[in-house]
Structures are given as C-alpha cells and as structure tokens.
Amino acid sequence: TSFLRFVKNCNMHKFDTVYQLFEASYGKPAISVAAAGRANIIGEHTDYHEGFVLPFAIDAAIYFCAKQGNSNAAEIISLDFDEKYDANVVPIKGSWQLYVHGLLSDLKTRFQIIATPVILFGGNLPMGAGVSSSSALCCGLIEVVNILYDLGLTAIEKVKWASEIEHGTGVRGGKMDQYAICHGQAGKAMLLDCRSLSHKDISLPETWQFLLLNTGVKHNLAFTAYNQRRQEAEDALAELNKHETGLVTLRDATVDQVNHWLEKGSLYHRRALHVVTENKRVAAFELCAQMGDIRNAGRLMNQSHESLQNQYEVSCEELDFLQQQAAKCNSIYGSRMMGGGFGGCTISLIQEVDERDISIIRQAYLKKFGLLPDYFTVHPAPGLVHYG
Ligand code: GLA
C-alpha cells in the first residue's frame, strides 16, 4: 500500500505478516491498529518547556492485532523482539515489556480492569533511531485497550496516558511524540503548542520532502543525559526567576532576558538560550513553509542543529558528522539531529532524493565510523490507523 514508502525498506514486519501470524495462532483479530512513528522538522528539546514543535506522524508504524483473551493471563507478543510478555518477571530497564507492565497496572488501578488480552505486534519502525518507537508502542497499546475495553478515551487522554507510562520507565520526556502520533494526519505536519496542547495543521509545500539518515547509534533516553539536560534548563529558569517574575517555564523567557541575567557562555545561559531561540525558529519555519522559501527553511534547520550541538549539548560525533556532510550537498537545503539526540537520525530537507549525494554521505560515514547508515524518506501519514 502507499502507507509504506521507504526508499530503503528494512527487513521488518508489515501489517499483513502480523495479521497472518495472529490469525494462524488465535483466529481472526477483533481489532487491528497501526501506530506510526514521528518525525520532527524543527523545535527540539522545547516540548517539556511548554514551547513549540513542528512534528508529523510518519509512514512507518508498529502494527497490532488483538482480541480479548480467555485465559487468566495476558498474552502479549513482540514479533520484532521475538519475546512474550511475562507478568511474573519484573521487566528490565529499557525493555518493551516495561511499557506493557505500565499499561496493565494502570488498567487495574484506574479502570478496575484486570485485562488479559491477546496482542501480537510488530512493524517497520526502526528502534532506537529517534523516530519514537516507544511512543508508538504506548499509543498503539492504549488504542488497542481503548477499543477492546470500550474506555472511550479522547486523543488528549491517550497522549497523557502514554506520556505517563513513558515517565514510569524513568525518562522525563515531553508530550510531542505521543501528541504527533495520536493526531497525525496524511499530508499534514502540525505546529504544536506544548502549553495548551493544541495544534495548527501545517500543509508543507508539495515539493518538500524529508530524508532521515540513521547514525546507527542506538540511544536509550533513560540511559543518557536527557533528564540531566531537562534539569539544567529548569535550574536556568529558576536562576532567571531570581530577577524576573512570572516565568512559568522557559517558554516565557525572551532572548534579551537570557542574555541579560545569565552569564554569557555559562551552562545555564547556553541551555536557556537554546530553548528561547529554538521557539523563535519554529515560528520562522512556519513562515518559510507558507512562502515556500526552502532555502531559509533549511538554514533554520542548520541553526537548530548548531544550537542543539553547542548550546544544549544533546548531539554526538556521529550526528554532527552526518549533519556537516549533508550541509555540503546541493540537494539538501538543511539538516539537523532529530529527537532526543545522543544518537538516532538526522532529518534533512530535500526536494528530490539525490542518490549520488546520499551515497557520498554514506561512504564518508562508512570510512569514518565503519558503518553504512540506513536512509529513508518520511511523509506525513495518519498516526493511528484502524484496519477492518
Ligand atoms: C524525545 C522526547 C520528546 C522530546 C524530544 C526532544 O523524543 O520523547 O518528548 O523532548 O526527545 O525534542
């Protein structure tokens, strides 16, 4: 189907495979759901400061087939990990089973439902690549139980629940990923205000496309400095509030305030400066999209990378290298690290896939890091899809 438009597809599960495997073992599923991953064009590490982001749900997803079980234990299987959830074992940090664990215990405490569903899932969403496979997993599982147990959840309730389950695994993430997945529509990006948790649809010029290059460096946010960065930025806000009043989050601060009150080049200054300038870049990007100004849109993405690299310090050598290589290519207008950072993918703004440019970047990366990076284009797609 047109749902899958990877330039280079990975050898992973598709909807048909998940469906057939389910049917062979359990009969016809009662429900089938897809939960997409997400890309973020610009606005990074701003969501948990109630700032602005510009993500979209992508055309790669995790597929779930499910029905109510009749045994007294849940039967939940990940095809990608080739593992079955075991309620008697406390899941290890970073494991997919932690999310299932969170979901089932919330069902018990909040909804008084002892759920024993049968769920089989697998997909073509690269894991640990910064396309939010963990949020896709949470949102997909929530959608499954939402229908199976008739919970009547709204999109925002799903976003909040998914985010809480993820917080339960130790990462103090924002809500951009879950929001993009629960609201994603074909052909639309969204300008999300993370304070009001509402968005404006953004129709990008038809010729604009996004290319992801995967460093292959797996990042697990829980084991990185993600929480530390958040804390440092919140401490920077506390410092600002010694001089200013009414700054609820860094979203409320201006560039002038940051430059005036925080010592230039200090840790607090750099962390805060990233957030306030990144929020401005999101607004500027929206204007570029409206005017079809791809050159300036690309420049904003490059500036975003520079800020994430030097001010917020969430990049890594591999991401910086891919970004620098991309910046040299005529077919690429701008490029930056995407998502939490410390690994994962870069996102680049292009009009056409130029295989020569991509090959130059990949070969250079191979020479330096001994690995040929995967690449694929992503397109705005529906975030949660029901089949049948
Ligand atoms: C991860 C988190 C998001 C967001 C990004 C950085 O993807 O899950 O909430 O903070 O990092 O923009």
Side-chain angles (χ1 to χ4, degrees):
T1 70
S2 64
F3 198 65
L4 300 169
R5 277 195 283 167
F6 269 42
V7 170
K8 178 187 169 299
N9 212 339
C10 335
N11 182 24
M12 289 192 254
H13 297 284
K14 305 214 163 99
F15 172 67
D16 291 351
T17 331
V18 179
Y19 191 96
Q20 281 156 19
L21 287 171
F22 188 97
E23 201 176 19
S25 305
Y26 307 105
K28 284 213 180 309
I31 50 166
S32 304
V33 166
R38 71 95 189 87
N40 185 24
I41 303 171
I42 197 159
E44 213 69 87
H45 283 274
T46 50
D47 63 347
Y48 51 84
H49 298 300
E50 299 186 337
F52 297 92
V53 293
L54 219 166
F56 60 87
I58 63 174
D59 44 349
I62 302 178
Y63 305 98
F64 302 79
C65 288
K67 66 187 215 180
Q68 295 212 23
N70 37 27
S71 77
N72 52 8
E75 176 128 336
I76 304 179
I77 295 164
S78 159
L79 293 172
D80 296 313
F81 288 100
D82 195 18
E83 280 173 13
K84 194 179 196 167
Y85 172 69
D86 186 345
N88 299 314
V89 177
V90 179
I92 55 162
K93 225 178 169 174
S95 145
W96 65 272
Q97 301 204 18
L98 261 184
Y99 303 103
V100 173
H101 192 75
L103 176 95
L104 295 179
S105 51
D106 283 354
L107 269 174
K108 216 185 288 176
T109 50
R110 293 190 198 177
F111 298 95
Q112 288 75 49
I113 294 175
I114 312 279
T116 57
V118 180
I119 308 175
L120 195 69
F121 67 91
N124 57 7
L125 198 58
M127 278 166 281
V131 288
S132 240
S133 52
S134 50
S135 298
L137 173 61
C138 287
C139 294
L141 286 170
I142 287 174
E143 188 62 349
V144 165
V145 298
N146 183 36
I147 307 168
L148 272 188
Y149 303 103
D150 205 9
L151 305 180
L153 299 172
T154 63
I156 285 295
E157 285 167 343
K158 292 176 211 169
V159 169
K160 290 186 177 161
W161 189 7
S163 157
E164 281 163 29
I165 293 175
E166 290 183 60
H167 276 211
T169 69
V171 187
R172 291 179 65 214
K175 296 193 180 64
M176 161 173 75
D177 305 349
Q178 303 82 355
Y179 191 98
I181 296 165
C182 293
H183 294 82
Q185 285 180 49
K188 300 257 168 45
M190 54 194 100
L191 200 161
L192 165 62
D193 177 339
C194 298
R195 170 164 284 166
S196 62
L197 275 187
S198 61
H199 78 276
K200 177 156 127 194
D201 285 337
I202 303 286
S203 298
L204 299 163
E206 258 177 31
T207 52
W208 294 18
Q209 284 199 69
F210 295 93
L211 168 75
L212 303 195
L213 275 146
N214 189 354
T215 58
V217 180
K218 295 238 166 166
H219 68 163
N220 186 327
L221 295 180
F223 301 127
T224 63
Y226 185 98
N227 289 346
Q228 189 191 336
R229 291 296 177 280
R230 177 168 180 166
Q231 190 58 53
E232 288 162 356
E234 287 170 357
D235 292 347
L237 172 75
E239 189 59 36
L240 278 175
N241 269 326
K242 290 184 184 159
H243 310 281
E244 299 282 345
T245 44
L247 306 182
V248 179
T249 66
L250 278 177
R251 178 237 177 92
D252 302 312
T254 64
V255 176
D256 283 348
Q257 287 170 331
V258 169
N259 284 337
H260 189 74
W261 296 119
L262 304 175
E263 191 195 328
K264 281 233 165 80
S266 66
L267 187 105
Y268 287 171
H269 179 258
R270 286 181 291 130
R271 300 297 185 257
L273 193 66
H274 166 70
V275 179
V276 294
T277 57
E278 185 75 353
N279 279 332
K280 284 164 96 70
R281 282 187 285 273
V282 174
F285 192 99
E286 188 201 356
L287 288 180
C288 291
Q290 266 169 21
M291 296 187 308
D293 184 352
I294 196 167
R295 291 201 182 276
N296 279 315
R299 277 187 201 117
L300 289 164
M301 290 174 72
N302 289 336
Q303 288 163 13
S304 168
H305 183 85
E306 196 277 329
S307 181
L308 288 156
Q309 178 186 348
N310 299 318
Q311 316 298 340
Y312 216 69
E313 294 183 286
V314 285
S315 188
C316 63
E317 211 191 332
E318 292 86 349
L319 284 166
D320 294 342
F321 184 81
L322 282 181
Q323 198 276 338
Q324 278 158 20
Q325 294 297 312
K328 291 187 204 155
C329 297
N330 283 333
S331 65
I332 298 179
Y333 294 89
S335 183
R336 57 175 209 85
M337 56 148 276
M338 188 180 79
F342 310 106
C345 289
T346 56
I347 179 167
S348 303
L349 176 57
I350 59 171
Q351 282 189 303
E352 257 150 45
V353 174
D354 183 323
E355 294 290 350
R356 260 198 56 212
D357 276 351
I358 293 174
S359 166
I360 293 169
I361 301 176
R362 296 177 81 213
Q363 290 302 329
Y365 191 89
L366 175 67
K367 205 162 152 212
K368 188 157 168 76
F369 298 106
L371 184 117
L372 203 55
D374 279 344
Y375 69 102
F376 40 95
T377 55
V378 286
H379 307 85
L384 286 178
V385 182
H386 291 209
Y387 292 88

